[in-house]
Amino acid sequence: MKVLMIDTFKNESGSAIVAALLMGLALSLAVFIAMDNSLFNSRTMRNSRQYIDNLYRGETGITVACEENRTTWLASASNLFQLTNTVPVGNANVQITDENGNPLTVASYVIARIEIAPTPGTLSDSFPYKLNHQAPPPIGSKSSVRKFEIRRFGIRSTVQPANTLTVESGLYKTFNKY
């Protein structure tokens, strides 16, 4: 007795279980795709949050560098005239206290002069912007070009402990020429 394919499809005794298995396979595949998509989104959000935290830590390093060094390198022009581009103006770690009261290093910073032609291999040479260290005040600063001058500096803050992000900032200080 020869069984034809057409006869097999007309026999409905096992078709319900085959349909149920196909539906189960389709649903399993849909659940797997949804879980994979959810895990991908979770990883993306975690990485984004980590990047934002590191950016805040880098910005904290820049802010602390300005605040802690305000009385030294921003205090008078005589301090600035003696600086060379081979020695950092400021160099320190930024520490905060975590929720358990333990000190936690969040960033380290370096402050260096910005120069148009720095000595190769120095801190000033490592900054991407090349400008004159000493210059007239910018337009709109309400400082007279005859009576005032500015000094340019760069601050590099590196997120600790993994050195995962570096934030750079440039700043200038206006000084009386006399």
Side-chain angles (χ1 to χ4, degrees):
M1 179 174 203
K2 196 174 186 183
V3 178
L4 297 173
M5 202 61 150
I6 296 173
D7 292 336
T8 304
F9 284 122
K10 286 183 181 179
N11 183 3
E12 296 180 4
S13 60
S15 64
I17 196 157
V18 171
L21 285 172
L22 287 175
M23 280 293 261
L25 179 66
L27 287 174
S28 297
L29 187 62
V31 167
F32 176 74
I33 290 172
M35 284 178 49
D36 187 50
N37 191 18
S38 175
L39 287 174
F40 177 75
N41 287 339
S42 296
R43 287 185 195 125
T44 303
M45 293 303 294
R46 184 194 69 222
N47 291 343
S48 176
R49 176 67 185 168
Q50 187 176 12
Y51 176 77
I52 290 170
D53 286 346
N54 286 339
L55 183 64
Y56 288 157
R57 286 178 171 202
E59 291 283 334
T60 300
I62 299 278
T63 303
V64 169
C66 291
E67 292 299 319
E68 284 185 353
N69 293 288
R70 178 172 296 193
T71 58
T72 55
W73 63 280
L74 286 178
S76 67
S78 61
N79 291 346
L80 299 176
F81 293 133
Q82 297 168 2
L83 297 172
T84 64
N85 66 347
T86 57
V87 179
V89 180
N91 187 356
N93 288 330
V94 178
Q95 290 190 337
I96 62 169
T97 305
D98 66 5
E99 61 272 0
N100 298 327
N102 301 322
L104 175 67
T105 301
V106 294
S108 62
Y109 66 84
V110 174
I111 304 170
R113 291 170 52 165
I114 294 177
E115 296 185 352
I116 199 159
T119 307
T122 61
L123 285 170
S124 296
D125 190 38
S126 66
F127 282 97
Y129 27 81
K130 307 293 185 223
L131 299 166
N132 286 327
H133 175 65
Q134 186 176 348
I139 297 172
S141 67
K142 297 183 182 176
S143 298
S144 169
V145 176
R146 291 184 302 142
K147 296 180 182 178
F148 296 96
E149 66 184 10
I150 64 165
R151 301 291 176 143
R152 293 188 178 109
F153 295 90
I155 303 175
R156 177 178 290 128
S157 175
T158 305
V159 175
Q160 298 295 335
N163 296 334
T164 53
L165 181 71
T166 299
V167 179
E168 292 183 350
S169 179
L171 62 101
Y172 69 89
K173 173 74 177 171
T174 305
F175 291 100
N176 193 338
K177 286 183 179 180
Y178 307 105

